[in-house]
Amino acid sequence: KEEGVILEDFFTHQQTVSKVPVINKPDNEAYDLVLVIVQMLHVHEVLPILAQFRNAKSFLFIGNNVNGFENTVTHLGHKNILAGFITVGGKRKDHTVIFADADPKKPGKKAPLVLGKVNEVESHEFNRIKQLFEKASIKVQAEEDMDGWLKTHAGMILGLASASYLKGNNIKQVAEDDE
């Protein structure tokens, strides 16, 4: 809240700071889009708070969620609910998010935001949200079965992480292993 959102590129170490308006509780303002960027294990904690945003048009949950969205839809009702996954790697260090969103050998090739509907989001609303990200130079990959995509992604990552662990966290050895 005081320091803003601090992002640092893993490869260049360049930092950007964005001051964003923060509210402490739901209000009566009309919001076109509420971005919900919390870890899957904390979603249940924020749903009762999000349900109080009566004038929010759409909610976009960004992050991996292998539990599905039934509870989300139940709490938020028939609002437009979308899910997204930013295909980047990163970690938090104090108040800074350190991220890697491109191959350092191909810095112009950025990873996309995978975006899909959770409930019956109207096509024009989905397209409006997609265009918001594209106007911000964020490539969007539309996904018809977002719930399935998230579960498949988690399965792939778990398998890859397990194989990496068996090879002493050496991903190159995993790639070279024929088994």
Side-chain angles (χ1 to χ4, degrees):
K1 188 173 182 176
E2 291 81 28
E3 298 181 38
V5 177
I6 304 169
L7 302 174
E8 180 180 318
D9 186 294
F10 176 79
F11 301 110
T12 67
H13 304 288
Q14 179 181 355
Q15 286 192 346
T16 58
V17 179
S18 300
K19 296 287 186 179
V20 294
V22 176
I23 58 173
N24 293 319
K25 61 182 181 177
D27 56 27
N28 291 323
E29 293 292 320
Y31 295 95
D32 286 336
L33 179 61
V34 176
L35 294 176
V36 185
I37 308 171
V38 297
Q39 291 177 320
M40 179 180 68
L41 60 118
H42 298 294
V43 169
H44 73 281
E45 296 170 20
V46 299
L47 286 176
I49 298 165
L50 295 172
Q52 295 176 43
F53 283 92
R54 306 263 186 250
N55 295 323
K57 190 171 186 179
S58 298
F59 292 89
L60 171 54
F61 288 81
I62 295 183
N64 213 347
N65 181 349
V66 296
N67 294 329
F69 293 93
E70 291 100 20
N71 197 29
T72 302
V73 172
T74 299
H75 270 85
L76 300 181
H78 294 288
K79 301 270 187 186
N80 295 314
I81 304 171
L82 300 96
F85 188 89
I86 301 173
T87 51
V88 300
K91 65 180 180 179
R92 230 178 16 210
K93 182 178 180 186
D94 300 319
H95 295 287
T96 302
V97 175
I98 301 168
F99 69 94
D101 69 343
D103 182 333
K105 295 176 186 168
K106 302 174 190 171
K109 186 178 180 187
K110 301 288 185 182
L113 163 68
V114 181
L115 182 67
K117 302 174 184 180
V118 169
N119 62 355
E120 298 301 318
V121 178
E122 297 174 1
S123 292
H124 72 275
E125 180 64 5
F126 181 85
N127 289 332
R128 183 187 70 81
I129 293 168
K130 182 176 180 275
Q131 289 171 0
L132 286 173
F133 285 98
E134 291 171 341
K135 284 181 184 176
S137 299
I138 298 171
K139 182 180 173 185
V140 177
Q141 174 187 320
E143 177 57 49
E144 285 294 319
D145 180 12
M146 194 63 194
D147 186 51
W149 189 95
L150 289 168
K151 290 174 180 170
T152 301
H153 177 265
M156 178 195 69
I157 292 300
L158 287 172
L160 188 57
S162 297
S164 176
Y165 177 76
L166 289 172
K167 295 292 183 179
N169 294 322
N170 186 328
I171 201 71
K172 187 173 180 181
Q173 284 184 7
V174 174
E176 293 169 348
D177 193 330
D178 291 338
E179 291 182 38

